[in-house]
Amino acid sequence: MQERAARTRSALIRAAALEFEHRGYEGTTLSRISESARTSMGGLTFHFRTKEALADSVRSACWASTAPHVAEALTSPAPPMAALGGLVTALMRLLETSVEARAAARLGRELPGSGTAGRPGAHAWLPALRTLLARAHAEGELREGVAPGTAEALVVRLLEGTELAARGRHRRTGARADADAAPPPPSAEQVWALLRTAISGPREGG
């Protein structure tokens, strides 16, 4: 019985993430989530009383996937820029492959105050990003004239762009002709390597 309830809850969170990703918070309804998860409205409200509760669970699912990468980057013995590269590429891959990550990113834009009251927001990784950039700056790894705040803005825009591009690709999944004709997107490592050359100095270690 508990295993069945866990499966139902998981199916509801994924269905909610799909709806939030493509329709946004306001455009998503509990009835559509229920239908997508093939669960009755009674089953949905047993697990989640409100749409807000589902949004919180989607954000929490995203953070559960993100937190290990944040912890690894902050405790890495590698130079700060190398640790930052590992974090950024991991976040890019999550946005490309995880509907929960993309949904959480959209919810973060549409719901002011996301991540308050102990709830993880879409940019819950931002403190780690700032810490790593501060370390890189202190160790002379940032290019001369590049402030940590400027590098932070570039990384945030990169991740936002990754999310929007990935959402567009997943929305067109059914259009095989377009998908077959489109060239494959650059890898996370390729994109990071390009950004890294713009912000890192000659002593960059990653």
Side-chain angles (χ1 to χ4, degrees), residues 156-181:
V156 170
R157 294 296 182 271
L158 168 63
L159 293 171
E160 289 175 345
T162 299
E163 179 252 320
L164 292 172
R167 175 152 39 106
R169 284 196 299 273
H170 284 273
R171 181 177 290 162
R172 296 191 301 269
T173 298
R176 292 310 315 163
D178 290 343
D180 292 340

Side-chain angles (χ1 to χ4, degrees), residues 75-99:
T75 58
S76 172
M81 284 299 293
L84 178 63
L87 176 60
V88 172
T89 54
L91 293 174
M92 289 180 68
R93 284 192 292 268
L94 278 174
L95 288 166
E96 290 165 352
T97 60
S98 168
V99 64

Side-chain angles (χ1 to χ4, degrees), residues 7-22 48 54-66 91-109 120-123 125 163 166-167 170:
R7 286 199 305 268
T8 299
R9 182 181 177 86
S10 179
L12 286 167
I13 292 173
R14 180 166 180 81
L18 286 165
E19 292 294 320
F20 289 139
E21 178 192 11
H22 294 300
F48 303 99
L54 270 164
D56 285 345
S57 291
V58 168
R59 287 192 289 252
S60 294
C62 171
W63 179 241
S65 298
T66 305
L91 293 174
M92 289 180 68
R93 284 192 292 268
L94 278 174
L95 288 166
E96 290 165 352
T97 60
S98 168
V99 64
E100 291 84 4
R102 295 190 298 274
R106 181 164 184 175
L107 288 169
R109 291 193 301 273
H123 288 182
W125 40 262
E163 179 252 320
R167 175 152 39 106
H170 284 273

